[in-house]
Amino acid sequence: ADLAKRKCAATLLVMLVGVTSVAASGGSGRSASGGGRSASGSSRSSSIWTSLLYDMKGCLRRCLTQHPLVVRMEAYSSLVALLPKSIPGSGVDGASQASQESSASPASTVSGVSPNGGRSPPPKSPSLGSAYNRIIASIPPSGQTALVEIVSELLTMSLERYITLPKEDVMDREARRERSAAGVGLSQMEMVVEAEETSPDDEKDKDDESGSNPFRFEKCISTRPSNTYFVANHGGNSNNKKGSSGGKNKSKKVPPIGQSLLTEALHRINEPLAFLIASCVAVTPVVATSNDGADDDNNNHNEMKKTLCRIRHQLTTCTDISEYTQWIKTSKFIIEIKDNMTRSTEMAVAKLATCILIASVCDVFLNTCEWNSDADKESGGMFVVENTGDSEAKKANDIEDLFTLRTDAIDEAAIIMSSFARTALNTKKKDNAKVKKLKEVDVNSSQSSEHEQKKSKKSSSSETTITKVKSSDINDTTLAKNKKLMKDLLNSNQMSPAMAHEFLANSLRKFGAEMAKKVCDDEDSDDDNDDDDNTEAAAARLTKCLAFRRFIITKSLLLMSGSSHIVKAGARFGPLLLGGSTSVAMDDKTASTMRIAASLSLGPLLFVEFCTHCYKLEQTSISKMPTMELPLAQLSMRAFTSCVRGMTFDATQHALSKASRVNALLMSATRKASLVIPSSSDGWKFYQDLDNEAAVVDNGVSVPSDELILAKTLLPILSLAMVSSSASSDESTTTHLCLFSECLSNCMHGEAMECCYLISSAAEAFSEPNLKEQLGVMLMRGFEFGERVDENNAVIGVLGLDHCNSSDYDGGSSNNTADNNNCVSCAISVAMKLNCGLDGNTHVPLVRYDDEGSSLSGRDQQQQRQLRAARSKMGLPMTCIQNWPERHRGRLGKELLSRASSGMIGIGTQIAWALSATLDIGKNFSVTFDNNSPTKKQLRLALIKAAAQTSDTNFAKEKTSISSTMSSSIDDALNNADFVTLKIIPHMSSSDGPVDLAQRFVSSLLQSVSKMISASAPSAEFLDVNGSFASTLLKSTKRLYGILARLILSFMSNPQSLTSKETKCMLDYLTATLMPRVSALLMTLQEKQETAGGKFLAESKIESHGKTSALLVFEKEKLDNALLKVGAKLKQAGLEEDSEWLEDHVVSNLNRDFGIRRVEDAKAREAPKTKKKAAGGDNKRRVKSEPTSNKSKKKKRVIEPEEEDDSDVDDGADEASVMESVDADESMDEDGEDVISLARLTADMEDDDEGSDDDSEDEAESEEEAEFDE
């Protein structure tokens, strides 16, 4: 809360500084143009504003030197946002500028808003960023120039505080003295010797100064430890304060020592040096334009430019990381530490903080390397550090030096983090000394003493100390983990800003895969072992360096995914969001322009990187090389997907539609890949020569032309296997695989998973839901590879990959292939999304049937086309039977014409039935199927079969992920139905027509949920080992019953609407199909006793399943009551036939005769005990239950023979206790003490406060284990 207040105060202070500077500049301008009394008044006003500005600048300087890092970042962000978006024109003469300023009132000069309307900004835009920029743009040119000058001055002073000053010549010293006399002097004047004169020796030392450390890290890094940091005790032992402190911290897992050191180093950094330099870089172009015509030797642009040039030159010259850590050895704080281990840890923290700052600063200066011509520099709006005699070879050498320094800093930080380890203290002697003698042990408190001894042993074993590890003993795995941790920290938005897409695109052109084809040595290497110092060879070394290519691709991904903050003049620090934003970080027009430009420039280059890396086995996901980073091929495709996603945003001001923008990007990417990789040109050309009609099945829906073209462009990425005849021979044929299927056939599961996300992103450009649903079906059928029938049939992919026959591939038995195949669950998740969840199964509108139960038009396709067009207008897809496998079409045709299923086919139910066909169905569900049920062959899908053929561990993970996706889709549909039933329908009048539409919508949505639960229930017990998915389905069914009960009660005001086709179809399906499946699922969950490895389920799990089942039965009873109430209302209205039909749906639940057994039986089954121990346990329980007579009677009844228990249960299963549906509280067993009423059980669970007044049955319920039995 305190930091939030400080950030808000810093933002307000910066705004006040901007207003004051504009007011001061406006006053001076009016005084120049006016005369007499007005001129003198303006002069006094200007002096007042100048005095206020001086005080505010002093306050802001203290804010930038004394407050935490986040507050300083907020101040820098506000300063950069003060800059005008459009650079003030420098060609305006003084007369026109004066007349322009004189026409504005004093209020408009300060605030930019004129009460007369002369300079009022345009109407307020919904985007705060646009309104903010319009206010800045409405300021007069002199005010904008003043804003630029004040921002430049403040940033320059902040930067000079953290850099070392070179020896001054006479002219620089005089200029500094003039600035100091004006009150804008440097912050480190004590470091400059005033009396020193230039000498020839100083000229000799210039080269040495250029190769030294340019920063004063002691000003950027604090010596005060954070609250969570642990320090070493005197003597070399250090214990984690978190682990040794009491309370909740004891249960927390202690992080590794390297991670703790890195976290502390991050907390010690109190200056965002990278964002400060990036702000200076962003300000420099604006300052250069606003100072056109001024003296280059005496303006802010020249000072800032010279400072940045000197820092970059020193960084590229001084590439030894030890030079940057020299300040630690002379630090007074570290020298005064007497303990060796404490001093070592403090030095490690300081070195880590230094390495973090060096690496982040290198990122910023890498971003200043521009490869465009001089004419394009200003158009790009990016500052370019110019050196005398610069050439492309020299710039490449600078890039190499900066990247080498960044890499060395990361390596040094990883070594430091791995040089410390935690070891347990040897407290064996101390523990033995604390053991009490036998005569000192108190017999009455023996249990507590044992507990104390165990506690002391645990605390003593948790005590650790920090030890130093030799460099030769550092573990390679630990080193790799720490290196990845360091890279992830540098890629976060807190440490380094985003790079400009111009630099990233030019780097990929100069050093990427395209340039690698032209290099003589085609073998890439991660290490640069070339010692050639020739600057001409720097570009070749960078081209062969895969580490630099990974760095560029990662930065592209961070930019396009919105994970890094962009520093741009006229906007606050913020990411490049993929959607519309109401923040003031960047206005919508600027963000959309930058997003489109970045996507079009980076997308094709990233796709070329993906295609190139796919040909090399070690750079794909099937590589055996132990690495903790994504393969280059997978990383490139992920970055390309972010570019595609960046083209699908809503840009109303753009001339092209979403589909046209995505199509342009994909066409450019495939064309670029064909040029760079000539071997793949035939594969891309085959799909480009196809007609547009080949992309869409004729389903009677009119598709926009741009979306039809995009669907055809997506064919080489996702489509079914296509067979073409060879041009050389009529007998030979070729089966063409799309990119997705080609990756799967080569076991490149990581790349195939990225293709799934690519399809999901590209599908956002479609407005036609049937096109999305078709992509979902094709994605599931992408696992059907083309098989070689004979020697004359060849199977080839787009890229022509053949990694399965490689000697380095072991058939999918490696960990990276068989145990990490998450592609099936990813494809199912994307397919469900493309099907609009369960909305694609919603039966709106219904198919019309005749009296015989068949469609009015028979098998004519005309009615299906009309229905598909009607659903398309509602945003709902309707699947086309021709898109599914041939063996499925007969079953789907019958289902489409079935009255019971209402003719709707969804991807979710198809996946659920495919799981049942592959995993088998439970034994309790065989009675729920008839002889007309489809065969397993008609239900199987290739993607479920592919998942079953992987390792057991991977298949278990895939089943868990698939069940989670199905549960999420059910919950989403129930949330929509619950919202309409609870929030919309009760507030609508019964006479309104929309009430009937809302009720019909909920009925259709609940039927789609019922179909999904019915299809998922038969195989639920095989999807996990502890019955969690079955319990989740029962919870969803309970919610379904509750929502349906509220829906039925909503018909009390208009009972005639209850007889609508949607409601009738839903209730018929609920009674005929869902309820028998739910009853079988209840039986299956009751019989579930064992988990993996033959172990019994925990008591808590059994109790959770029991409560879920009991609440389900209770919700069903509430639904029956609602049906009876509405049925009576229909009878009063004279609709007796409808009332009888409704009462027929009040069926007896087959699970109401479940008895709840005692917990002793569950315990005995879970952990069998010996007779002696069991007897002892019974005696103890009897002693505890002696005070209550009812409990003692109950315990005696439990010990009675089993024959009597069985007879009691049989007697209790009569009509009086089972068939009663309205008053479940009155249904009691003949032996009322042994069986607990389910309704009363649920009532007690809902009201725990009445436990003290309950009878003996309710008291036993809170202590005993619950289990259902017939």
Side-chain angles (χ1 to χ4, degrees), residues 536-553:
E536 298 293 338
R541 290 194 296 267
L542 287 174
T543 303
K544 294 186 294 182
C545 182
L546 290 182
F548 180 72
R549 202 178 302 180
R550 177 184 293 276
F551 167 75
I552 295 298
I553 296 174

Side-chain angles (χ1 to χ4, degrees), residues 686-687 690 694-695 715-716 718-724 733-738 786 793-794 796:
F686 170 78
Y687 290 97
L690 298 176
L715 286 179
L718 179 64
S719 61
L720 298 179
M722 299 183 182
V723 180
S724 64
T733 58
T734 303
T735 302
H736 296 269
L737 296 182
C738 64
N793 184 21
I796 187 172

Side-chain angles (χ1 to χ4, degrees), residues 1188-1214:
T1188 306
S1189 59
N1190 292 333
K1191 286 187 177 181
S1192 62
K1193 292 181 181 180
K1194 184 176 293 185
K1195 299 299 178 182
K1196 292 179 181 179
R1197 290 176 182 266
V1198 174
I1199 309 177
E1200 293 179 357
E1202 292 186 0
E1203 291 80 11
E1204 296 181 7
D1205 291 339
D1206 295 337
S1207 62
D1208 291 341
V1209 175
D1210 294 336
D1211 294 337
D1214 55 353

Side-chain angles (χ1 to χ4, degrees), residues 291-361:
N291 289 332
D292 281 350
D295 187 8
D296 289 340
D297 294 334
N298 195 16
N299 56 40
N300 293 332
H301 169 245
N302 187 58
E303 291 295 329
M304 184 175 290
K305 181 180 178 182
K306 287 174 60 177
T307 303
L308 292 174
C309 287
R310 181 175 59 83
I311 295 174
R312 173 178 161 178
H313 180 65
Q314 288 182 268
L315 286 175
T316 55
T317 306
C318 180
T319 57
D320 188 3
I321 197 65
S322 60
E323 291 290 335
Y324 297 91
T325 57
Q326 288 292 334
W327 70 272
I328 301 175
K329 298 179 181 180
T330 59
S331 175
K332 184 178 178 181
F333 171 76
I334 295 178
I335 292 175
E336 292 177 351
I337 299 176
K338 303 302 181 183
D339 184 66
N340 292 332
M341 184 53 64
T342 305
R343 184 167 57 252
S344 299
T345 54
E346 286 295 330
M347 291 182 66
V349 170
K351 287 183 179 180
L352 283 176
T354 305
C355 292
I356 292 173
L357 290 176
I358 292 173
S360 59
V361 167

